[in-house]
């Protein structure tokens, strides 16, 4: 069991709302962990009394600490604004109190009373930090305030928004808290709009939940009782509730009017306004206002109702979950609060519009739900199901269990030299996605010369180090050394002891040296074997031997031909992203009459570019497509004005290759084994996923993927006549072509993204 320190400003087992949420969340955390809960001193008597009178589940795993600021820093805590000031100070001094208490914890969790404009300071403790559920109330449209509550409400709400904006824009602690949190629990989807850079570590977790009940509201044909609950303040939108009900009620026939009733449970500063509005709308006999009652009484009212009507503007709403626990369909705004709690199977969420149009739309929905009894029956059953899946307390406990696991995942610092659209950065992009889904924080370093697939990931923590590629080998070697000196100094001062340093390819040796000095685990992912000059290759392999704790090879061939003694080793085959496989699966295997032969590679002689051109000359009846990972200028320089055959088309710097695979009939890999051995060959796997027969070298990684004459062919680039013969045979024998193509598509399924992702996550664990 882990030791979790939870700070909960509001926690009281005898209350609901924020206090009750704090109590229940602590008990849920204690299902799988030891919990040290820190709260205010004024909550102590209630907590101890409740524990004495009851036997709360898992309470043996909870210990409480009570903290408050000195009297001179709290006697003035009155009203909403000053209470928030005190809460801010309580948060600020909390880490010092915890340090003095000498508690040993694995994770710190700032639990409740939070929104996205007040920071947490638990990051000062240097432990993995969970923050939230953090709330956000979207801004209420001004016309929904001015129409009923007047200009003063608009000014008050605008002032609150400006007050929040000040913290969003100028509070440095808020930005630090967002950056240092390992996991941000968000009450709704709009939290990340203000807490910039947290999307990759945000988990949706509404703060609303309640206990399951065996009592179920039973829809009745000749009854339509509507219920709503909340404080009478403009945030809750009770003016919409009353006017919509009135518009709907006055359209009913007399016998239908006898079936309906609206009950509003609540109290607050706008109570008199609501009572006056009810009288003005002529519905006093059909609306009952019940001031705050015991929770058991409220539950009875839920069970006796048919619909929960809650057009609140807030970003939460505990009462929505309570109503759904009784199987009540919900009618609300399509917003980030109640609108996200429901879906169209268990309620109706309407968009904001003009005030009068909105009233009319809600009235029409009430009419629809009243008159369509079958719809209410289905929605009632679905509301109960959605509650059990999302808002029952045990569901939150399971979520906390996953979040705490995510919080202690190590940070991964990944390094890659040349960011383009070739195989090795594609593999790293797959790894980054897998780590982020596993809950790991990822920091990425790439060379500054190019933008490729890693730049397309839009990782928040993506840093560049100096690097420029030169065709001249001497200049390239000098630049490599300077780039690694720069990378070394970037990392040696920023790596943390518990980081995992992931070095993609042999080249970023400066990162490995920095990792060795800082004592972090260094994991090499080796893709290549053909590195020149040989002295550079020997140097890089020596760095791996001295610094690596683990080495990942992309193929069994590479692990056997280039073994490095010392570090642990494993083979993790590359795979295709699920998005690629999904798009490829939609493509039907076929062979065109105008045979199209394709090759995708970098613009290098050892990749077989010249041989591909020669094949195009030998087979003028076929179309040849050459897709090059190079700029047009680099390609022009490579061919240097050479006469190219008319049946050859070339494309440069292609990002989306799907259209090329779809048009191709056969895909080639013509690498020269004596100069460049393909250790895996990702394009071979991509072609196979599309059901394209491939021809690959007889040695290296592609030969592990392809079985000759079964799902492709293994033929040396030095045997161009044999390749020509095989291409002609595939063109003439359509049955053989389709058999090989189907086998290629089946073979590609062996290299699943799920398997690779799981292996990569285990490698850095």
């Amino acid at each position: 069991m882990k030791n979790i320190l939870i700070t909960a400003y509001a926690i009281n087992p005898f209350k609901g709302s924020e206090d009750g949420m704090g109590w229940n969340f602590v008990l849920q955390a204690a299902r799988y962990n030891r919990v040290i809960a820190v709260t205010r001193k004024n909550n102590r008597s209630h907590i101890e009394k409740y524990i004495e009178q009851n036997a709360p589940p898992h309470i043996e795993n909870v210990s409480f600490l009570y903290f408050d600021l000195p009297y001179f820093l709290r006697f003035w805590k009155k009203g909403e604004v000053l209470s928030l000031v005190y809460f801010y100070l309580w948060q600020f001094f909390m880490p010092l109190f915890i340090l003095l208490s000498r508690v040993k914890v694995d994770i710190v969790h700032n639990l409740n009373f939070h929104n996205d404009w007040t920071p947490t300071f638990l990051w000062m403790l240097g432990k993995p930090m969970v923050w939230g559920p953090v709330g956000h109330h979207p801004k209420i449209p001004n016309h929904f305030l001015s129409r009923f509550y007047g200009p003063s409400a608009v000014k008050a709400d605008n002032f609150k928004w400006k007050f929040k904006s000040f913290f969003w824009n100028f509070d440095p602690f808020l930005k630090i808290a967002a950056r240092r949190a390992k996991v941000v629990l968000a009450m709704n989807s709009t939290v990340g709009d203000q807490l910039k850079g947290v999307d990759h570590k945000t988990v949706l977790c509404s703060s609303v939940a309640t206990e399951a009940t065996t009592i179920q509201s039973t829809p009745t044909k000749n009854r339509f009782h509507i219920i709503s609950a909340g404080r009478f303040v403009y945030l809750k939108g009770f003016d919409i509730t009353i006017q919509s009900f009135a518009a709907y009620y006055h359209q009913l026939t007399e016998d239908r009017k006898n079936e309906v009733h609206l009950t509003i449970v609540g109290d607050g500063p706008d109570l008199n306004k609501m009572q006056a509005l009810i009288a003005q709308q002529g519905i006093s006999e059909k609306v009952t206002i019940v001031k705050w009652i015991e929770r058991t009484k409220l539950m009875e009212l839920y069970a006796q109702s048919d619909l929960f009507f809650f057009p609140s503007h807030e970003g939460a709403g505990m009462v929505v979950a309570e109503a759904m626990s009784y199987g009540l369909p919900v009618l609300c705004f399509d917003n980030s609060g109640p609108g996200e709690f429901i879906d169209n199977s268990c309620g109706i969420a309407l968009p904001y519009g003009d005030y009068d149009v909105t009233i009319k739309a809600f009235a029409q929905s009430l009419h629809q739900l009243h008159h369509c009894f079958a719809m209410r029956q289905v929605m009632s059953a679905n509301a109960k199901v959605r509650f059990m899946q999302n808002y029952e307390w045990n569901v939150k406990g399971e979520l906390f269990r996953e979040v705490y696991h995510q919080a202690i995942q190590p940070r991964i610092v990944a390094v890659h030299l040349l960011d383009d659209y070739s195989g090795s950065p594609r593999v790293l992009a797959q790894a980054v996605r897998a780590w982020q889904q596993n809950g790991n924080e990822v920091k990425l370093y790439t060379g500054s010369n190019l933008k490729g697939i890693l730049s397309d990931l839009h990782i928040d923590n993506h840093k560049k180090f100096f690097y420029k590629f030169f065709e001249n080998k001497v200049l390239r070697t000098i630049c490599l050394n300077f780039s690694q000196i720069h990378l070394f100094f970037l990392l040696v001062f920023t790596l943390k002891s518990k980081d995992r340093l992931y070095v993609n390819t042999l080249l970023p040796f400066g990162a490995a040296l920095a990792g060795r000095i800082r004592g972090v685990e260094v994991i090499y992912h080796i893709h290549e074997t053909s590195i020149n000059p040989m002295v550079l290759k020997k140097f890089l392999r020596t760095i791996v031997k001295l610094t690596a704790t683990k080495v990942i090879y992309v193929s069994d061939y590479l692990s056997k031909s280039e073994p490095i003694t010392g570090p642990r080793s494993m083979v993790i085959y590359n795979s295709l992203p699920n998005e690629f496989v999904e798009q490829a699966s939609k493509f039907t295997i076929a062979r065109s009459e105008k045979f199209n032969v394709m090759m995708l590679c970098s613009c290098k002689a050892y990749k077989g570019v010249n041989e591909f051109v020669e094949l195009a000359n030998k087979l003028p009846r076929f179309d040849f497509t050459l897709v090059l990972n190079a700029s047009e200028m680099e390609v022009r320089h490579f061919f240097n004005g050479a006469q190219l055959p008319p049946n050859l088309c070339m494309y440069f710097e292609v990002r989306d290759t799907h259209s090329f695979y779809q048009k191709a009939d056969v895909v080639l890999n013509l690498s020269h084994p004596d100069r460049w051995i393909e250790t895996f060959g990702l394009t071979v796997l991509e072609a196979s996923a599309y059901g394209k027969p491939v021809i690959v070298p007889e040695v290296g990684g592609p030969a592990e993927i392809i079985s000759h004459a079964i799902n492709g062919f293994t033929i040396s680039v030095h045997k161009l006549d044999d390749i020509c013969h095989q291409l002609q045979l595939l063109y003439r024998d359509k049955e053989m072509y389709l058999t090989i193509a189907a086998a290629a598509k089946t073979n590609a399924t062996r290299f699943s993204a799920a398997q690779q992702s799981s292996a990569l996550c285990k490698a850095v664990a």
Side-chain angles (χ1 to χ4, degrees), residues 139-158 233-237 239-240 273 313 355:
K139 195 172 189 310
I140 304 172
N142 283 343
H143 61 280
F144 276 89
L145 294 175
S146 59
R147 181 65 177 270
F148 181 77
Y149 298 96
S152 60
V154 175
K155 289 178 182 178
D157 195 64
N158 287 342
V233 292
Y234 64 74
L235 178 68
K236 301 293 184 177
D239 55 308
I240 305 291
K273 285 184 180 180
H313 308 288
Y355 189 89

Side-chain angles (χ1 to χ4, degrees), residues 47 56 95 114 159 200 229 236 261 314 322 334 368 405 438 487 490 498 546 569 583 592 605 684 696 705 732:
I47 292 170
H114 262 296
F159 173 77
H200 66 284
K236 301 293 184 177
H261 195 87
E314 65 188 299
E322 290 180 341
D334 186 10
Q368 180 185 14
H405 168 75
N438 189 52
L487 179 59
L490 282 175
K498 294 183 180 179
L546 292 173
S569 65
Q583 193 160 342
S592 65
V684 175
V696 302
I705 303 173
R732 289 195 302 267

Side-chain angles (χ1 to χ4, degrees), residues 175 227-228 304 329 344 411 461 473 493:
K175 293 178 174 60
I227 187 171
S228 192
Q304 297 165 9
N344 57 15
R411 184 179 71 159
N461 213 348
K473 292 182 180 179
F493 297 112

Side-chain angles (χ1 to χ4, degrees), residues 333-540:
F333 275 118
D334 186 10
N335 56 18
S336 59
E340 289 187 353
F341 296 168
I342 68 168
D343 60 19
N344 57 15
S345 73
C346 62
I348 298 175
L350 299 181
Y352 282 96
D354 178 79
Y355 189 89
D356 291 327
V357 172
T358 300
I359 297 293
K360 185 177 180 181
F362 274 122
Q364 289 173 341
S365 295
L366 289 170
H367 186 274
Q368 180 185 14
L369 289 164
H370 181 185
H371 288 75
C372 190
F373 176 65
M375 176 189 288
R376 273 193 284 139
Q377 283 183 306
V378 172
M379 284 187 170
S380 175
N382 289 338
K384 186 77 172 183
V385 171
R386 186 165 175 84
F387 164 78
M388 294 301 297
Q389 291 175 343
N390 296 277
Y391 306 113
E392 198 271 331
W393 271 119
N394 285 334
V395 175
K396 304 297 183 183
E398 296 300 325
L399 178 62
F400 270 26
R401 186 184 191 184
E402 295 175 12
V403 163
Y404 292 148
H405 168 75
Q406 181 176 336
I408 59 173
Q409 295 302 306
R411 184 179 71 159
I412 299 170
V413 179
V415 183
H416 183 80
L417 183 66
L418 195 63
D419 181 16
D420 56 16
Y421 292 91
S422 60
S424 57
R426 286 182 180 273
V427 173
L428 179 53
Q430 279 280 89
V432 168
R433 295 188 189 100
W435 295 328
Q436 289 182 330
Q437 289 174 2
N438 189 52
N440 298 92
E441 178 188 352
V442 179
K443 189 173 186 178
L444 177 64
Y445 287 85
T446 59
S448 59
N449 65 312
L450 288 175
K451 286 187 177 180
I453 193 168
L454 296 171
S455 299
D456 292 344
L457 289 175
H458 303 297
I459 297 176
D460 296 319
N461 213 348
H462 186 178
K463 308 293 183 183
K464 298 278 188 176
F465 59 89
F466 165 76
Y467 181 68
K468 184 174 176 61
F469 180 83
F470 290 96
E471 290 291 342
N472 183 282
K473 292 182 180 179
V474 176
L475 289 176
R476 188 160 72 240
T477 302
I478 293 172
C479 187
L480 174 64
N481 287 316
F482 273 112
S483 75
Q484 295 313 295
I485 292 171
H486 183 207
L487 179 59
F488 173 85
F489 283 107
L490 282 175
L491 290 174
V492 77
F493 297 112
T494 57
L495 286 171
K496 301 173 183 177
S497 60
K498 294 183 180 179
D499 286 343
R500 302 290 189 269
L501 180 61
Y502 174 92
V503 184
N504 198 42
T505 78
L506 287 168
L507 293 171
F509 64 89
L513 292 171
R516 176 60 184 269
I517 289 174
R518 292 304 302 269
V520 305
E521 186 169 337
V522 179
I523 302 161
Y524 261 94
H525 201 150
I526 300 180
H527 304 254
E528 68 274 61
T529 181
S530 304
I531 295 180
N532 291 309
M534 184 56 66
V535 65
L536 175 61
K537 180 176 179 178
K538 288 182 177 179
F539 169 75
L540 294 174

Side-chain angles (χ1 to χ4, degrees), residues 199-249:
D199 289 347
H200 66 284
K201 55 187 176 185
T202 295
V203 175
L204 281 177
C205 175
S206 64
S207 61
V208 302
T210 189
E211 298 84 7
T213 175
T214 56
I215 303 173
Q216 175 83 18
S217 170
T218 305
T220 305
K221 266 192 175 182
N222 298 322
R223 183 195 76 184
F224 189 52
H225 286 188
I226 304 163
I227 187 171
S228 192
R231 292 189 71 230
F232 288 127
V233 292
Y234 64 74
L235 178 68
K236 301 293 184 177
F238 281 111
D239 55 308
I240 305 291
T241 305
I242 293 167
Q243 293 183 79
S244 300
F245 177 79
Y248 140 76
Y249 174 76

